[in-house]
Amino acid sequence: MTENKNNIQTQIYETPLESWKEIAVYLKRDVRTVIRWEKHEGLPVRRHLHQARSSVYAYPSELGAWKAARQPGFDQAPLAMPWRRPIPALGFALTLLLALVSVASGPILTPPGALAQEYGGMTARQVWAPAEDIHGVPSSDRRYFPYTDWETGDLALRDLTTGKNRHLTSKGSWHESAEFAHGALLSPDSQQVAYGWFNQDFFYELRTIGLEGSEPRVLYRTEQMAYVVPAGWSPDGKRILVNLTRIDGATQIAWVSVADGSLRVLKTMDWRYPFKVSLSPDGRTIAYDFPPQENSPQRDIFLLAADGSRETPLVQHSANDYLLGWMPDGERLLFASNRTGSLCIWVVQVADGKPQGNPKMVKKDVGRILPLGISQDGAFFYAQQSGMKDVYVAEVDPGTGTPLSPPAMVTERFVGSNNVPAWSPDGEYLAYVSQPTDPHFLTGLDARIIIRSVITGKERELWPQLNEITHLSWSPDGRELLLTGYDRNRLYNQSLYRMDAQTGEVTPIVRSGYEATLAEGAWSPDGKAIFYVRHDTTTKSQAILVRDLETGEERVVYRAVLPSSFVFTTLSPDGRNVAFLVEEHTTDGHNHVLIIMPTAGGEPRELLGPELST
């Protein structure tokens, strides 16, 4: 970059591509190719849970940067960071701010060998590297693994001995049905699978199905259940232990009768919930992890009698302790802890509901893992998350889009945990979100916002007390940040908040329960209103709304009824127009239309149409 060129700062508002199909269409490749790229070449694909259409998503800007970085001759050697100076308002070069996934984030299923040689160490070998997230529990004999096939949302079964997969349900494509399975557990005789099912009425059911193609059976269903996952079968196969969340945010550990579907609640908790619930091999004791302090995410491990009659703490420590599961003898319990600074696997002896001696480490530095299950011979199965998210800055020519420099990492702090970047209006500050890991894997939950001075390089950390932040943008005066995320108690779905950029004080703007999800928001140019997207599950519609921040009054700018949907792109600089991409679902694929319309109301105008169709 020559000295006589200045930089233009830009803020990008974008909604992610929400499936492998959409990602493939964007990159003009087939689905298998983009899955292979994500697995082997670091294609920046993200993952989330509890979404009706798929478990993956990706941002076009990140895909574009990844694609540009792969072009021949693109030098990826680290350079001096081009953003260490203020960014003037006008010029010829464009400073493009990106959040890039630097390593593929697909989970890997690995079982270490049994705890032989009495804690002499655990060895690991890979038995499956699926292209998408997996959640389930392998059979006790290591043969089967039930999981969700996110290409359709069906419950599937993998034979770990042959490597073959087959569907147990046949719900049809995402176009035909938005239902999906989540969480699966084989019965003691490996003849049935218990699993959660997100139904067409947008709440969860507990279901069972036979391995040989029988019809699914709805075992427990209530509109008050926001989420359910089976945690264990009783040894006689007559009851299923479940971990469920109600729509009021409360979490419960309960038994469900296989005979009549009746529910017996053992314990009710508030918004704090167990990551893992595990039933002892004899069916007499339930172990679970839980954060005992409301103002701290640090977890301990507790034991609960299977009849709910008594409860005792098992592992108490100032560090984070996560339950992994019972060993087959019922006398030892595996857990993960960061008490040594990194996440390691530990084992503790248990007798009469009490710890016997101090825990012992059995494997160091396991990284971000998701516990799946322990076989009857003591092999521990877990998913390994390898993805890393970091914020990069690159300079490009705004006229041609040609990169003028390779992406340079913004910070070396919290490497692999940084995303959602946003420039301040004057270009003097960069805000980004730093969250240690995917909250569904074992690590801390709370997200922090880092505000970095471009001039001095100094950083301030703000803790908005939110579990997850998916989008942020600066107010026009630079005094506040608009956040999209989840509150810590999970009483609300993804909602909108405003945060004081100096104090970190957070005030909710629009909150949503389980009936809707609120997506990325944008400030009006005068800072008196916000525009945002609402995905309403009750009316099966999506809408762009504008909300007056002083009066709270709202107005619909545009509404689409499913199966049509849209991506909220951006506001024009003067706030008079909004541009968005409408996706029309058809039996042959998806048609995309780029639309612009006045924010004050009026007729939408199509800019691009059939040429965007798939």
Side-chain angles (χ1 to χ4, degrees):
M1 179 177 178
T2 59
E3 290 296 326
N4 63 342
K5 287 188 177 181
N6 295 321
N7 295 325
I8 301 174
Q9 59 108 1
T10 181
Q11 173 63 57
I12 301 174
Y13 298 99
E14 58 180 338
T15 295
L17 306 168
E18 289 284 357
S19 68
W20 285 116
K21 171 85 171 182
E22 293 183 3
I23 296 169
V25 169
Y26 179 82
L27 293 173
K28 299 180 180 180
R29 294 293 188 274
D30 60 83
V31 170
R32 289 187 178 182
T33 298
V34 297
I35 290 176
R36 175 174 56 81
W37 283 351
E38 190 265 349
K39 179 179 177 182
H40 296 294
E41 300 186 33
L43 182 70
V45 175
R46 305 168 181 237
R47 286 167 165 77
H48 53 193
L49 300 179
H50 312 314
Q51 299 295 318
R53 294 188 56 202
S54 82
S55 66
V56 299
Y57 65 101
Y59 289 103
S61 65
E62 296 181 357
L63 298 179
W66 175 87
K67 186 177 180 180
R70 296 177 73 249
Q71 299 300 319
F74 192 94
D75 183 11
Q76 297 196 48
L79 298 179
M81 294 185 186
W83 56 273
R84 288 189 180 274
R85 57 187 181 279
I87 304 173
L90 298 174
F92 299 97
L94 175 69
T95 299
L96 180 63
L97 183 62
L98 305 172
L100 300 181
V101 178
S102 58
V103 182
S105 58
I108 299 174
L109 183 65
T110 61
L115 294 180
Q117 302 173 356
E118 199 62 19
Y119 316 137
M122 301 172 75
T123 59
R125 67 181 179 88
Q126 178 178 306
V127 296
W128 187 22
E132 297 190 350
D133 282 348
I134 50 172
H135 294 272
V137 178
S139 59
S140 60
D141 61 3
R142 297 201 199 188
R143 179 176 179 182
Y144 296 115
F145 183 81
Y147 68 100
T148 301
D149 180 354
W150 287 110
E151 285 296 313
T152 64
D154 279 304
L155 178 68
L157 187 73
R158 181 177 179 85
D159 190 321
L160 295 174
T161 60
T162 66
K164 294 182 178 180
N165 304 329
R166 63 185 176 93
H167 280 193
L168 298 180
T169 62
S170 301
K171 59 169 282 292
S173 66
W174 290 114
H175 172 72
E176 297 171 288
S177 170
E179 298 186 339
F180 62 91
H182 183 72
L185 181 65
L186 281 156
S187 60
D189 59 6
S190 294
Q191 297 301 306
Q192 297 184 78
V193 179
Y195 60 100
W197 185 261
F198 185 78
N199 62 31
Q200 62 183 357
D201 296 318
F202 298 95
F203 60 86
Y204 277 84
E205 303 169 344
L206 177 67
R207 293 186 174 189
T208 60
I209 192 172
L211 264 62
E212 301 306 323
S214 62
E215 287 296 316
R217 177 190 173 200
V218 178
L219 199 59
Y220 183 74
R221 170 190 173 102
T222 173
E223 294 185 5
Q224 301 302 307
M225 185 162 61
Y227 179 70
V228 64
V229 61
W233 288 75
S234 62
D236 59 10
K238 295 182 178 180
R239 296 181 297 169
I240 300 173
L241 185 68
V242 297
N243 181 18
L244 63 88
T245 301
R246 302 191 316 230
I247 61 173
D248 62 3
T251 299
Q252 294 178 324
I253 298 175
W255 285 108
V256 176
S257 169
V258 175
D260 59 16
S262 59
L263 181 76
R264 182 189 175 191
V265 176
L266 303 177
K267 183 176 180 63
T268 299
M269 295 159 275
D270 55 18
W271 56 269
R272 292 167 289 172
Y273 57 93
F275 272 147
K276 178 77 172 177
V277 177
S278 179
L279 182 65
S280 63
D282 61 9
R284 299 174 61 183
T285 308
I286 299 165
Y288 69 95
D289 53 21
F290 185 77
Q293 303 298 323
E294 186 173 349
N295 60 351
S296 172
Q298 309 300 327
R299 291 175 173 268
D300 290 334
I301 298 174
F302 300 83
L303 297 181
L304 176 69
D307 60 2
S309 60
R310 65 185 184 280
E311 181 180 23
T312 57
L314 179 70
V315 178
Q316 293 180 298
H317 196 278
S318 59
N320 248 326
D321 299 309
Y322 305 96
L323 176 66
L324 301 181
W326 290 92
M327 293 301 294
D329 57 16
E331 297 177 355
R332 292 173 294 177
L333 216 158
L334 281 185
F335 68 97
S337 178
N338 63 357
R339 61 185 62 190
T340 61
S342 61
L343 201 67
C344 305
I345 295 179
W346 298 71
V347 65
V348 60
Q349 294 284 144
V350 182
D352 299 324
K354 298 178 181 179
Q356 304 297 305
N358 294 321
K360 297 182 179 180
M361 184 191 298
V362 295
K363 186 171 180 59
K364 293 182 178 180
D365 304 331
V366 292
R368 290 168 285 182
I369 65 172
L370 178 69
L372 300 175
I374 299 175
S375 66
Q376 59 191 10
D377 62 356
F380 168 52
F381 287 76
Y382 63 95
Q384 182 92 51
Q385 187 191 46
S386 58
M388 300 180 70
K389 297 177 291 186
D390 283 296
V391 177
Y392 289 74
V393 167
E395 294 183 4
V396 300
D397 187 313
T400 65
T402 303
L404 301 177
S405 68
M409 189 179 293
V410 165
T411 179
E412 295 183 354
R413 298 182 67 210
F414 318 117
V415 171
S417 305
N418 307 311
N419 65 345
V420 196
W423 289 112
S424 62
D426 58 10
E428 294 188 4
Y429 295 95
L430 171 64
Y432 61 92
V433 176
S434 180
Q435 185 158 340
T437 66
D438 183 325
H440 304 117
F441 286 71
L442 298 187
T443 52
L445 285 176
D446 284 351
R448 78 192 85 182
I449 292 179
I450 311 296
I451 298 180
R452 183 176 184 115
S453 170
V454 175
I455 299 175
T456 66
K458 292 184 178 180
E459 294 186 337
R460 293 188 295 111
E461 294 185 14
L462 301 175
W463 296 82
Q465 303 296 303
L466 298 175
N467 266 3
E468 186 178 359
I469 299 171
T470 59
H471 181 82
L472 59 84
S473 62
W474 290 82
S475 62
D477 61 10
R479 296 180 179 179
E480 294 182 287
L481 285 160
L482 179 63
L483 313 179
T484 306
Y486 298 85
D487 67 355
R488 293 179 63 185
N489 60 23
R490 293 281 175 169
L491 285 176
Y492 302 95
N493 212 335
Q494 186 165 275
S495 301
L496 300 176
Y497 305 84
R498 60 197 302 178
M499 184 187 76
D500 188 297
Q502 293 298 319
T503 66
E505 181 180 356
V506 173
T507 305
I509 300 175
V510 189
R511 278 178 161 170
S512 174
Y514 287 100
E515 78 285 352
T517 295
L518 308 183
E520 59 283 296
W523 297 85
S524 62
D526 60 8
K528 295 181 179 180
I530 60 166
F531 292 79
Y532 70 96
V533 175
R534 177 185 174 93
H535 304 267
D536 198 314
T537 58
T538 57
T539 61
K540 299 182 180 180
S541 66
Q542 294 176 300
I544 297 176
L545 299 97
V546 57
R547 182 183 183 92
D548 187 298
L549 293 176
E550 182 177 349
T551 66
E553 295 181 354
E554 291 189 339
R555 175 176 52 84
V556 175
V557 177
Y558 181 87
R559 185 184 300 277
V561 179
L562 297 178
S564 293
S565 60
F566 60 86
V567 175
F568 178 32
T569 305
T570 188
L571 290 175
S572 60
D574 60 9
R576 295 181 178 180
N577 293 283
V578 57
F580 51 93
L581 192 68
V582 173
E583 179 186 62
E584 300 173 344
H585 301 262
T586 69
T587 56
D588 299 327
H590 300 169
N591 293 332
H592 295 84
V593 180
L594 181 61
I595 290 177
I596 185 171
M597 68 175 295
T599 56
E603 290 298 320
R605 180 163 56 92
E606 182 179 305
L607 295 184
L608 292 173
E611 58 268 34
L612 296 178
S613 301
T614 63

